[in-house]
Amino acid sequence: MADDDYARKAFDDIPTVDDIFNSTAATTTTTTTTQEEESAETEKKSVVSTEKDEDLSVKSSDSPKNEKKHDEKDESDFRVKSLDSPKSEKKKDEDQGSLRVSITDTEKNGDGVNAFISYTVKTKAVNDSIWGDREMTAIRRYRDFSWLHSGLKAEFKTVIIPPLPEKSITNRFSPEFIEYRRYELEKFLRRVIKHPKLVDSVYTKTFLESSRELNRTEIKSEAEQKAVPKKKGFFSSLTDKVTTMTSAAPVEIDEWFTDTKEYLKGLETQLHTLHTKTTIMTKKRRDFAQIWEDLSLAAVEYSKSEADKDSNLNKLFSKFTEVTHQLSNLNMETVDNEIIHFEFSIKDYTRITTAVKDLLTNRDSTLLKCQIAEKNYEQKKQKSDKNTSTSKANAFQTEVTEAEKQRDTAKQSLEDASKECKEEIETFMKTKNKDITNALRELVQTNMNHELRVLDLWKELLRMIEESSS
């Protein structure tokens, strides 16, 4: 069999994405179709997508993107105008249940160093057990989201607090970065309202309920007025002082937490490395897209030079120009999807992993207080045993009794904290598996879809070359 016939047969035998993912039978082969059918098939392949928990389906822009050096690349380095689609909106509504939150608009306020972006936060409650039936609108800026995040961290020591997107010094007013941050802040709020404890917090209610634009101090004031401050007892004050004075870490008594800490340490490192390598990959593809565009420009000039002398080459290189230009666009479209569906997901879980480590740090603090209380009780007990026949025996016994109560309270707090932390981390593990699996699926499908569309372009050019040679 001739080489070109073999290649042509190989192209025709490649299954479509629909064949691979939707068929329960053996993979079927495609047959040679007319040019019109192939065009329709290519269009069908281009919209193949799988739903996932954090669906980020988008339409890519055709506008060119200035190249960036790898070390300057940030989350805004993609060409999309919106990270939401009808499909993702439907998925978000299904996920949020009776309480739904969205950031519908963004607006730049002020000039120069005082400039900032405000976000319109809309919340809709439908027969919700906490919020009832109502709609709320609030105007917030990034520091207000930071206030909410800090408040939740202070209030809930045994809950994984959803992370915020990082601050950015450069490009913070670019349309791409504003859209990226809008989506990530909306994701943060959706995660907050999905958690049964966080959604009922006074911080969350204050953030979502206020209908007027508030500055940071006013929001904090309102929350403090609603909140009931907890008074610190003698033991709490004592342990806070001891914790401040010493840098000694608690002695872990639960092997499950020891293993989990070690796992998270490695996970954070590997996710960071994976994200770094992914940014390199997407930059390379963006560079490759520019190479195809440069080749297209060179090909069109050659085609013009053959216009009067060789009509066949003029026609073939005119088609080659078209193909290489489309390859450039395909690469840009693919890199956008890789960044949105995969790179952003890995970056997101790098942040979440840090939040899980914060949770374990809180539990370590509870463990340390428990061990301090145990040591305090033992010291009181020994002192009392040595003074059973003195006039102060009753006073020493009273201290022992109080220390014993504090120890028992600390043990119960540790038991409760450990149980809640385990539940949170187990939920995190399940969600991580689902989300990263979906991110990988999107990456694979994006690249399969890309390769199939590339093959269609080359097949069309090859057919034209063969017809011109016959």
Side-chain angles (χ1 to χ4, degrees):
M1 181 182 295
D3 289 343
D4 56 345
D5 292 335
Y6 181 84
R8 190 158 50 252
K9 184 178 185 303
F11 292 160
D12 292 335
D13 285 348
I14 292 177
T16 66
V17 175
D18 284 310
D19 290 331
I20 295 172
F21 288 95
N22 297 331
S23 175
T24 57
T27 304
T28 59
T29 58
T30 58
T31 57
T32 303
T33 60
T34 63
Q35 185 171 350
E36 292 75 17
E37 290 173 330
E38 287 182 341
S39 176
E41 182 182 358
T42 301
E43 181 179 352
K44 182 179 180 181
K45 294 171 186 173
S46 68
V47 298
V48 173
S49 180
T50 300
E51 290 188 4
K52 64 177 183 176
D53 187 53
E54 301 295 348
D55 188 3
L56 304 176
S57 301
V58 299
K59 287 186 178 180
S60 64
S61 169
D62 289 330
S63 62
K65 180 71 179 180
N66 293 332
E67 292 182 86
K68 288 186 175 184
K69 296 181 180 179
H70 172 59
D71 57 358
E72 297 176 343
K73 187 178 186 300
D74 59 29
E75 288 81 1
S76 67
D77 198 9
F78 58 96
R79 303 179 304 151
V80 295
K81 294 183 179 179
S82 175
L83 296 180
D84 287 327
S85 68
K87 175 182 171 183
S88 64
E89 289 295 323
K90 180 180 178 182
K91 181 66 175 174
K92 285 190 294 186
D93 287 346
E94 291 173 351
D95 288 344
Q96 294 182 90
S98 60
L99 185 63
R100 302 171 182 178
V101 64
S102 60
I103 298 179
T104 57
D105 297 298
T106 60
E107 182 180 354
K108 184 178 179 181
N109 301 266
D111 298 305
V113 295
N114 296 319
F116 65 93
I117 301 297
S118 62
Y119 304 87
T120 302
V121 180
K122 292 190 175 182
T123 309
K124 182 177 181 180
V126 182
N127 195 28
D128 186 78
S129 59
I130 298 175
W131 301 76
D133 290 280
R134 54 176 167 159
E135 295 185 11
M136 299 164 282
T137 300
I139 306 298
R140 297 287 178 257
R141 54 188 295 185
Y142 182 86
R143 71 181 188 183
D144 299 330
F145 287 87
S146 181
W147 168 86
L148 173 59
H149 182 265
S150 298
L152 294 175
K153 283 189 70 175
E155 185 177 0
F156 300 100
K157 299 296 186 179
T158 58
V159 173
I160 299 173
I161 306 302
L164 290 171
E166 297 85 350
K167 289 186 176 181
S168 177
I169 299 177
T170 61
N171 299 320
R172 62 193 185 103
F173 295 119
S174 70
E176 294 85 0
F177 180 78
I178 292 173
E179 171 57 18
Y180 165 78
R181 174 172 279 186
R182 181 205 66 80
Y183 184 85
E184 291 296 323
L185 291 175
E186 184 180 275
K187 185 194 296 182
F188 162 73
L189 291 178
R190 294 202 312 271
R191 286 170 170 166
V192 167
I193 67 170
K194 283 178 67 176
H195 197 286
K197 291 184 179 180
L198 302 183
V199 71
D200 199 27
S201 168
V202 64
Y203 293 99
T204 303
K205 292 179 179 179
T206 301
F207 183 91
L208 296 178
E209 283 180 338
S210 180
S211 60
R212 61 194 177 90
E213 183 177 359
L214 303 173
N215 64 37
R216 190 177 187 183
T217 303
E218 289 174 322
I219 295 175
K220 184 175 181 180
S221 176
E222 288 193 4
E224 289 176 342
Q225 289 175 12
K226 294 181 181 180
V228 178
K230 297 181 179 180
K231 295 182 179 180
K232 289 188 176 182
F234 171 78
F235 170 67
S236 179
S237 300
L238 174 63
T239 52
D240 284 346
K241 290 179 181 179
V242 173
T243 303
T244 303
M245 293 172 62
T246 178
S247 60
V251 179
E252 185 55 68
I253 57 177
D254 190 329
E255 187 177 350
W256 187 92
F257 283 101
T258 301
D259 294 341
T260 301
K261 291 174 185 176
E262 192 64 26
Y263 166 75
L264 290 172
K265 181 180 178 181
L267 177 64
E268 186 176 44
T269 299
Q270 295 307 320
L271 284 173
H272 177 74
T273 301
L274 181 60
H275 177 258
T276 300
K277 299 304 180 183
T278 303
T279 60
I280 295 174
M281 176 190 72
T282 53
K283 181 184 182 301
K284 294 287 187 182
R285 190 184 288 277
R286 192 180 302 280
D287 292 341
F288 200 47
Q290 185 59 51
I291 292 172
W292 279 120
E293 187 61 28
D294 292 343
L295 181 58
S296 176
L297 295 175
V300 72
E301 294 302 320
Y302 175 71
S303 176
K304 291 177 182 179
S305 70
E306 295 285 7
D308 297 330
K309 300 296 183 181
D310 195 323
S311 60
N312 183 52
L313 286 177
N314 171 262
K315 181 180 179 181
L316 291 178
F317 271 85
S318 177
K319 182 63 178 178
F320 181 65
T321 298
E322 176 187 331
V323 168
T324 50
H325 177 68
Q326 290 180 9
L327 288 174
S328 177
N329 288 338
L330 278 177
N331 273 275
M332 291 300 294
E333 178 183 335
T334 298
V335 76
D336 286 342
N337 287 331
E338 288 174 338
I339 291 173
I340 295 164
H341 295 302
F342 189 75
E343 184 177 323
F344 285 177
S345 295
I346 300 303
K347 179 65 173 178
D348 182 40
Y349 264 90
T350 303
R351 292 193 294 258
I352 295 176
T353 301
T354 300
V356 179
K357 292 176 66 178
D358 290 341
L359 174 72
L360 292 178
T361 298
N362 293 338
R363 188 255 175 192
D364 281 347
S365 178
T366 304
L367 174 59
L368 180 59
K369 289 181 179 182
C370 182
Q371 292 174 348
I372 290 172
E374 180 67 38
K375 185 175 181 179
N376 182 57
Y377 167 74
E378 291 174 354
Q379 290 174 344
K380 298 290 186 183
K381 186 71 167 59
Q382 291 174 2
K383 190 174 183 180
S384 177
D385 291 343
K386 292 178 180 179
N387 294 275
T388 55
S389 60
T390 66
S391 59
K392 296 183 179 180
N394 290 337
F396 284 131
Q397 184 57 44
T398 299
E399 290 182 1
V400 171
T401 301
E402 181 62 24
E404 185 177 20
K405 290 180 180 179
Q406 293 173 355
R407 181 201 63 180
D408 293 343
T409 299
K411 283 185 176 180
Q412 187 61 51
S413 296
L414 176 61
E415 182 179 334
D416 294 342
S418 297
K419 179 182 178 182
E420 292 172 14
C421 286
K422 286 182 179 181
E423 291 174 351
E424 285 283 306
I425 293 174
E426 286 169 358
T427 299
F428 157 76
M429 295 294 288
K430 292 177 182 178
T431 306
K432 173 179 65 66
N433 178 281
K434 177 183 176 182
D435 290 348
I436 295 184
T437 297
N438 284 337
L440 182 59
R441 180 184 291 111
E442 291 286 355
L443 179 68
V444 172
Q445 289 186 329
T446 292
N447 279 275
M448 287 183 63
N449 189 35
H450 172 84
E451 296 300 334
L452 289 169
R453 293 168 71 184
V454 168
L455 285 174
D456 285 337
L457 291 174
W458 287 128
K459 284 169 65 177
E460 186 177 350
L461 178 57
L462 180 61
R463 184 182 298 107
M464 186 174 178
I465 293 172
E466 290 174 337
E467 289 174 354
S468 69
S469 302
S470 61

